């Protein structure tokens, strides 16, 4: 990876989004502000690697992400993982993105993760290669400390000397640095929303009304 960086960083936000909710939306919005991102590219996983295949199809999860993000000109949606035959491994996604002409090898990329996902990084396929391909932006999440003392040992070692003193450092190289930021703490999870819907309770004000309307129209997450 060349050391010469060019352009403002592009944020990459992958997830299962089963369903997408305001925790995700605030993370992307606040990351764009705190890390001075050019845009945020949302990348719904087709077949998540580390969890059971969701009952809701990848196409339906993609449709919900499109509904949730369409009003924001700073967001774009990448549908390529949804139809991929393989499991959605982030390292392969990053390699794919580096091959796209408009992105190339020099554009700073920032992989956005909640603190829970960051702490679980050592379970990811070829996780040590991720920082060769992108920076990592870690959003604080209720219950998941980001301080190095709380990280698993192998991750703490891999991250040593990589934390940025200022997010401006993300512009200086295409990959390899870590920036954490304190986003508005929203203890919302997709698990909680699925559980509410299964009990017949309202998920209103946890996710956009358009997404709730889609869930109702498609009869996703039925009551049982
Ligand atoms: P589930 O409850 O099904 O595990 P989730 O709500 O954690 O889902 P994911 O699609 O797994 O959502 O998460 C995508 C990314 O968003 C992950 O990096 C995760 O850490 C982050 N994230 C999800 N919810 C929040 C939140 N409330 N605050 C901060 N980050 C979040």
């Amino acid at each position: 990876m060349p050391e010469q960086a060019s352009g403002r960083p592009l944020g990459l936000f992958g997830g299962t989004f089963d369903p997408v909710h305001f925790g995700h939306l605030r993370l992307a919005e606040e990351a764009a502000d705190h890390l001075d991102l050019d845009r945020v590219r949302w990348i719904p996983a087709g077949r998540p690697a580390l969890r059971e295949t969701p009952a809701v199809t990848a196409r339906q999860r993609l449709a919900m992400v499109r509904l949730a993000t369409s009003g924001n000109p700073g967001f774009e949606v990448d549908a390529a993982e949804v139809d991929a035959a393989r499991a959605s491994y982030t390292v392969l996604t990053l390699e794919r993105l580096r091959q796209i002409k408009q992105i190339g090898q020099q554009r700073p990329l920032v992989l956005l993760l909640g603190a829970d996902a960051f702490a679980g990084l050592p379970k990811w396929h070829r996780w040590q290669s991720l920082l060769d391909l992108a920076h990592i932006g870690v959003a604080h999440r209720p219950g998941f400390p980001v301080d190095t003392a709380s990280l698993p040992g192998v991750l703490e070692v891999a991250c040593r000397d990589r934390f940025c003193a200022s997010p401006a450092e993300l512009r200086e190289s295409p990959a390899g640095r870590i920036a954490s930021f304190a986003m508005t703490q929203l203890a919302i999870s997709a698990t909680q929303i699925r559980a509410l819907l299964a009990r017949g309770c309202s998920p209103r004000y946890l996710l956009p009304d358009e997404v709730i309307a889609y869930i109702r129209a498609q009869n996703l997450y039925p009551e049982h």
Side-chain angles (χ1 to χ4, degrees), residues 137-156:
V138 188
H140 296 194
R141 190 171 181 182
F144 296 93
V146 184
D147 61 297
T148 44
S150 310
L151 295 177
V154 278
L155 186 58
E156 194 271 321

Side-chain angles (χ1 to χ4, degrees), residues 6 15 30 33-34 36 39 58 63 90 95 110 112-113 119 128 134 137 144 148 162 169 175 183 202-203 208:
S6 69
E30 295 193 32
D33 280 344
H34 289 303
D36 191 26
R39 303 171 65 70
T90 301
E95 286 172 347
V110 185
L112 302 174
L113 299 175
Q128 310 254 21
F144 296 93
T148 44
R162 290 184 181 270
E169 291 173 38
M183 63 171 280
S202 166

Side-chain angles (χ1 to χ4, degrees), residues 3 59 86 127 140 169 204:
E3 276 306 296
R59 286 260 140 211
R86 57 166 172 78
W127 69 278
H140 296 194
E169 291 173 38
R204 209 163 168 206

Side-chain angles (χ1 to χ4, degrees), residues 169-188:
E169 291 173 38
L170 298 176
R171 278 172 174 238
E172 292 167 11
S173 59
R177 307 303 305 276
I178 300 170
S180 73
F181 61 98
M183 63 171 280
T184 305
Q185 297 292 275
L186 295 169
I188 303 173

